[in-house]
Short mmCIF file of all heavy atoms in Angstrom, two decimals:
data_model
loop_
_atom_site.label_atom_id
_atom_site.label_comp_id
_atom_site.label_asym_id
_atom_site.label_seq_id
_atom_site.Cartn_x
_atom_site.Cartn_y
_atom_site.Cartn_z
N ALA X 41 22.18 -15.30 -16.80
CA ALA X 41 21.13 -15.51 -15.80
C ALA X 41 21.59 -16.53 -14.74
O ALA X 41 21.27 -16.42 -13.55
CB ALA X 41 19.84 -15.95 -16.44
N GLY X 42 22.34 -17.52 -15.17
CA GLY X 42 22.85 -18.53 -14.23
C GLY X 42 23.94 -18.06 -13.33
O GLY X 42 24.21 -18.66 -12.31
N ASP X 43 24.58 -16.93 -13.69
CA ASP X 43 25.67 -16.40 -12.90
C ASP X 43 25.30 -15.13 -12.16
O ASP X 43 26.17 -14.45 -11.61
CB ASP X 43 26.88 -16.10 -13.83
CG ASP X 43 27.65 -17.33 -14.21
OD1 ASP X 43 27.69 -18.27 -13.39
OD2 ASP X 43 28.24 -17.38 -15.31
N VAL X 44 24.00 -14.78 -12.15
CA VAL X 44 23.57 -13.53 -11.55
C VAL X 44 23.90 -13.50 -10.04
O VAL X 44 23.75 -14.47 -9.33
CB VAL X 44 22.05 -13.35 -11.76
CG1 VAL X 44 21.47 -12.37 -10.78
CG2 VAL X 44 21.76 -12.89 -13.17
N ASP X 45 24.42 -12.32 -9.63
CA ASP X 45 24.70 -12.10 -8.20
C ASP X 45 23.68 -11.20 -7.53
O ASP X 45 23.45 -11.35 -6.35
CB ASP X 45 26.10 -11.44 -8.06
CG ASP X 45 27.20 -12.25 -8.69
OD1 ASP X 45 27.49 -13.33 -8.15
OD2 ASP X 45 27.76 -11.82 -9.71
N THR X 46 23.11 -10.27 -8.30
CA THR X 46 22.17 -9.30 -7.74
C THR X 46 20.90 -9.27 -8.57
O THR X 46 20.97 -9.18 -9.80
CB THR X 46 22.79 -7.89 -7.72
OG1 THR X 46 24.02 -7.93 -6.98
CG2 THR X 46 21.86 -6.88 -7.04
N LEU X 47 19.78 -9.33 -7.91
CA LEU X 47 18.48 -9.35 -8.58
C LEU X 47 17.70 -8.10 -8.16
O LEU X 47 17.41 -7.89 -6.99
CB LEU X 47 17.73 -10.62 -8.14
CG LEU X 47 16.66 -11.19 -9.06
CD1 LEU X 47 17.21 -11.49 -10.44
CD2 LEU X 47 16.06 -12.45 -8.44
N LEU X 48 17.38 -7.24 -9.15
CA LEU X 48 16.58 -6.06 -8.89
C LEU X 48 15.10 -6.37 -9.25
O LEU X 48 14.83 -6.78 -10.34
CB LEU X 48 17.08 -4.88 -9.71
CG LEU X 48 18.53 -4.50 -9.60
CD1 LEU X 48 18.82 -3.22 -10.37
CD2 LEU X 48 18.98 -4.34 -8.15
N LEU X 49 14.21 -6.12 -8.28
CA LEU X 49 12.84 -6.46 -8.46
C LEU X 49 11.94 -5.25 -8.12
O LEU X 49 12.08 -4.67 -7.05
CB LEU X 49 12.44 -7.62 -7.57
CG LEU X 49 13.17 -8.94 -7.83
CD1 LEU X 49 13.31 -9.73 -6.55
CD2 LEU X 49 12.46 -9.77 -8.88
N ASP X 50 11.04 -4.90 -9.06
CA ASP X 50 10.05 -3.88 -8.74
C ASP X 50 9.12 -4.40 -7.64
O ASP X 50 8.74 -5.56 -7.64
CB ASP X 50 9.23 -3.54 -9.96
CG ASP X 50 9.91 -2.50 -10.85
OD1 ASP X 50 10.63 -1.65 -10.27
OD2 ASP X 50 9.74 -2.51 -12.05
N LYS X 51 8.75 -3.50 -6.75
CA LYS X 51 7.85 -3.90 -5.65
C LYS X 51 6.47 -4.25 -6.20
O LYS X 51 5.96 -5.35 -6.01
CB LYS X 51 7.73 -2.78 -4.62
CG LYS X 51 6.81 -3.10 -3.45
CD LYS X 51 6.28 -1.84 -2.78
CE LYS X 51 5.20 -1.19 -3.64
NZ LYS X 51 4.58 -0.04 -2.96
N THR X 52 5.89 -3.33 -6.93
CA THR X 52 4.48 -3.48 -7.37
C THR X 52 4.37 -4.54 -8.43
O THR X 52 5.04 -4.46 -9.46
CB THR X 52 3.94 -2.16 -7.90
OG1 THR X 52 4.11 -1.16 -6.88
CG2 THR X 52 2.47 -2.26 -8.25
N GLY X 53 3.54 -5.53 -8.18
CA GLY X 53 3.31 -6.58 -9.17
C GLY X 53 4.33 -7.73 -9.10
O GLY X 53 4.08 -8.77 -9.67
N THR X 54 5.44 -7.49 -8.44
CA THR X 54 6.44 -8.55 -8.32
C THR X 54 6.48 -9.08 -6.88
O THR X 54 6.31 -10.26 -6.64
CB THR X 54 7.82 -7.99 -8.72
OG1 THR X 54 7.75 -7.42 -10.01
CG2 THR X 54 8.86 -9.10 -8.68
N ILE X 55 6.70 -8.16 -5.93
CA ILE X 55 6.78 -8.56 -4.55
C ILE X 55 5.39 -8.43 -3.90
O ILE X 55 4.98 -9.27 -3.10
CB ILE X 55 7.82 -7.69 -3.81
CG1 ILE X 55 9.19 -8.03 -4.37
CG2 ILE X 55 7.75 -7.92 -2.31
CD1 ILE X 55 10.28 -7.12 -3.85
N THR X 56 4.65 -7.40 -4.29
CA THR X 56 3.29 -7.22 -3.81
C THR X 56 2.28 -7.55 -4.92
O THR X 56 2.67 -7.67 -6.08
CB THR X 56 3.05 -5.77 -3.32
OG1 THR X 56 3.19 -4.88 -4.44
CG2 THR X 56 4.05 -5.40 -2.24
N LEU X 57 1.03 -7.67 -4.56
CA LEU X 57 0.01 -8.04 -5.55
C LEU X 57 -0.21 -6.99 -6.60
O LEU X 57 -0.77 -7.25 -7.66
CB LEU X 57 -1.31 -8.35 -4.84
CG LEU X 57 -1.31 -9.60 -3.95
CD1 LEU X 57 -2.63 -9.75 -3.26
CD2 LEU X 57 -0.97 -10.85 -4.78
N GLY X 58 0.20 -5.75 -6.34
CA GLY X 58 0.14 -4.73 -7.37
C GLY X 58 -0.91 -3.66 -7.13
O GLY X 58 -0.74 -2.52 -7.51
N ASN X 59 -1.97 -3.99 -6.47
CA ASN X 59 -3.04 -3.00 -6.23
C ASN X 59 -3.15 -2.75 -4.74
O ASN X 59 -3.53 -3.65 -3.95
CB ASN X 59 -4.39 -3.49 -6.77
CG ASN X 59 -4.36 -3.64 -8.28
OD1 ASN X 59 -3.66 -2.90 -8.97
ND2 ASN X 59 -5.14 -4.56 -8.79
N ARG X 60 -2.81 -1.57 -4.30
CA ARG X 60 -2.99 -1.21 -2.87
C ARG X 60 -4.46 -1.12 -2.54
O ARG X 60 -5.24 -0.61 -3.34
CB ARG X 60 -2.29 0.12 -2.58
CG ARG X 60 -0.78 0.05 -2.72
CD ARG X 60 -0.12 1.39 -2.50
NE ARG X 60 -0.58 2.36 -3.51
CZ ARG X 60 -0.17 3.62 -3.55
NH1 ARG X 60 0.68 4.07 -2.68
NH2 ARG X 60 -0.64 4.44 -4.49
N GLN X 61 -4.81 -1.59 -1.39
CA GLN X 61 -6.19 -1.62 -0.94
C GLN X 61 -6.36 -0.76 0.31
O GLN X 61 -5.51 -0.78 1.20
CB GLN X 61 -6.62 -3.04 -0.64
CG GLN X 61 -6.51 -4.01 -1.83
CD GLN X 61 -7.51 -3.66 -2.92
OE1 GLN X 61 -8.70 -3.53 -2.68
NE2 GLN X 61 -6.99 -3.53 -4.13
N ALA X 62 -7.47 -0.02 0.36
CA ALA X 62 -7.80 0.75 1.57
C ALA X 62 -8.15 -0.22 2.68
O ALA X 62 -8.99 -1.13 2.52
CB ALA X 62 -8.96 1.70 1.27
N THR X 63 -7.49 -0.03 3.85
CA THR X 63 -7.74 -0.93 4.96
C THR X 63 -8.25 -0.21 6.22
O THR X 63 -8.65 -0.89 7.18
CB THR X 63 -6.46 -1.71 5.32
OG1 THR X 63 -5.42 -0.76 5.64
CG2 THR X 63 -6.00 -2.59 4.18
N GLY X 64 -8.21 1.11 6.23
CA GLY X 64 -8.69 1.79 7.42
C GLY X 64 -8.80 3.31 7.26
O GLY X 64 -8.13 3.88 6.39
N PHE X 65 -9.67 3.94 8.10
CA PHE X 65 -9.80 5.37 8.14
C PHE X 65 -9.33 5.84 9.55
O PHE X 65 -9.79 5.31 10.57
CB PHE X 65 -11.26 5.80 7.92
CG PHE X 65 -11.78 5.44 6.55
CD1 PHE X 65 -12.68 4.38 6.41
CD2 PHE X 65 -11.37 6.12 5.42
CE1 PHE X 65 -13.18 4.01 5.17
CE2 PHE X 65 -11.86 5.75 4.17
CZ PHE X 65 -12.77 4.71 4.02
N HIS X 66 -8.41 6.84 9.57
CA HIS X 66 -7.85 7.31 10.84
C HIS X 66 -8.15 8.81 10.98
O HIS X 66 -7.38 9.64 10.45
CB HIS X 66 -6.35 7.05 10.87
CG HIS X 66 -5.98 5.62 10.67
ND1 HIS X 66 -5.87 4.72 11.71
CD2 HIS X 66 -5.71 4.90 9.55
CE1 HIS X 66 -5.54 3.54 11.25
NE2 HIS X 66 -5.44 3.63 9.91
N PRO X 67 -9.21 9.19 11.63
CA PRO X 67 -9.58 10.60 11.76
C PRO X 67 -8.72 11.33 12.77
O PRO X 67 -8.18 10.72 13.70
CB PRO X 67 -11.05 10.55 12.18
CG PRO X 67 -11.16 9.27 12.95
CD PRO X 67 -10.23 8.29 12.29
N VAL X 68 -8.61 12.63 12.61
CA VAL X 68 -7.94 13.45 13.62
C VAL X 68 -8.94 13.75 14.73
O VAL X 68 -10.16 13.49 14.61
CB VAL X 68 -7.40 14.77 13.01
CG1 VAL X 68 -6.37 14.48 11.93
CG2 VAL X 68 -8.53 15.60 12.43
N GLU X 69 -8.44 14.29 15.84
CA GLU X 69 -9.31 14.58 16.98
C GLU X 69 -10.40 15.58 16.60
O GLU X 69 -10.15 16.57 15.91
CB GLU X 69 -8.48 15.14 18.13
CG GLU X 69 -9.27 15.31 19.40
CD GLU X 69 -8.40 15.79 20.56
OE1 GLU X 69 -7.16 15.85 20.37
OE2 GLU X 69 -8.95 16.09 21.62
N GLY X 70 -11.61 15.25 16.96
CA GLY X 70 -12.72 16.12 16.67
C GLY X 70 -13.48 15.76 15.44
O GLY X 70 -14.53 16.35 15.12
N ILE X 71 -12.99 14.78 14.68
CA ILE X 71 -13.65 14.29 13.47
C ILE X 71 -14.02 12.83 13.65
O ILE X 71 -13.17 12.00 14.11
CB ILE X 71 -12.73 14.44 12.24
CG1 ILE X 71 -12.35 15.89 12.01
CG2 ILE X 71 -13.41 13.89 10.97
CD1 ILE X 71 -13.47 16.82 11.68
N SER X 72 -15.24 12.45 13.30
CA SER X 72 -15.64 11.04 13.44
C SER X 72 -15.10 10.25 12.26
O SER X 72 -14.87 10.78 11.17
CB SER X 72 -17.15 10.95 13.48
OG SER X 72 -17.73 11.26 12.22
N ALA X 73 -14.91 8.95 12.51
CA ALA X 73 -14.43 8.06 11.43
C ALA X 73 -15.43 8.02 10.27
O ALA X 73 -15.03 7.95 9.10
CB ALA X 73 -14.19 6.65 11.97
N GLU X 74 -16.74 8.11 10.62
CA GLU X 74 -17.73 8.08 9.55
C GLU X 74 -17.68 9.32 8.68
O GLU X 74 -17.84 9.25 7.46
CB GLU X 74 -19.14 7.94 10.17
CG GLU X 74 -20.22 7.76 9.14
CD GLU X 74 -21.57 7.45 9.74
OE1 GLU X 74 -21.63 7.26 10.99
OE2 GLU X 74 -22.58 7.40 9.02
N ALA X 75 -17.43 10.49 9.28
CA ALA X 75 -17.29 11.74 8.52
C ALA X 75 -16.10 11.67 7.60
O ALA X 75 -16.14 12.14 6.45
CB ALA X 75 -17.19 12.94 9.46
N LEU X 76 -14.99 11.11 8.10
CA LEU X 76 -13.80 10.95 7.26
C LEU X 76 -14.09 10.00 6.11
O LEU X 76 -13.74 10.30 4.95
CB LEU X 76 -12.63 10.43 8.09
CG LEU X 76 -11.38 9.99 7.34
CD1 LEU X 76 -10.79 11.15 6.55
CD2 LEU X 76 -10.33 9.41 8.29
N ALA X 77 -14.76 8.87 6.39
CA ALA X 77 -15.09 7.90 5.35
C ALA X 77 -16.02 8.50 4.32
O ALA X 77 -15.87 8.25 3.10
CB ALA X 77 -15.70 6.64 5.98
N ASP X 78 -16.97 9.32 4.78
CA ASP X 78 -17.93 9.94 3.83
C ASP X 78 -17.17 10.90 2.88
O ASP X 78 -17.41 10.86 1.68
CB ASP X 78 -18.97 10.73 4.64
CG ASP X 78 -19.98 11.40 3.72
OD1 ASP X 78 -20.79 10.67 3.09
OD2 ASP X 78 -19.94 12.64 3.61
N ALA X 79 -16.27 11.70 3.39
CA ALA X 79 -15.51 12.63 2.55
C ALA X 79 -14.60 11.85 1.59
O ALA X 79 -14.47 12.21 0.41
CB ALA X 79 -14.71 13.59 3.41
#
């Protein structure tokens, strides 16, 4: 461990908090954001 040159780290739970969170709704043209959120 003291001589390690390369460190492999899983992203989830190590680099990030582990739980992805919904941050936004992006509707296509002709669909409201509320309709997308409802579905």
Side-chain angles (χ1 to χ4, degrees):
D43 282 329
V44 160
D45 302 292
T46 304
L47 204 57
L48 305 186
L49 298 149
D50 274 329
K51 181 203 73 174
T52 305
T54 305
I55 294 172
T56 64
L57 293 177
N59 295 330
R60 293 176 298 181
Q61 300 292 309
T63 57
F65 297 106
H66 303 271
V68 298
E69 187 175 354
I71 301 295
S72 69
E74 185 173 354
L76 171 61
D78 180 69

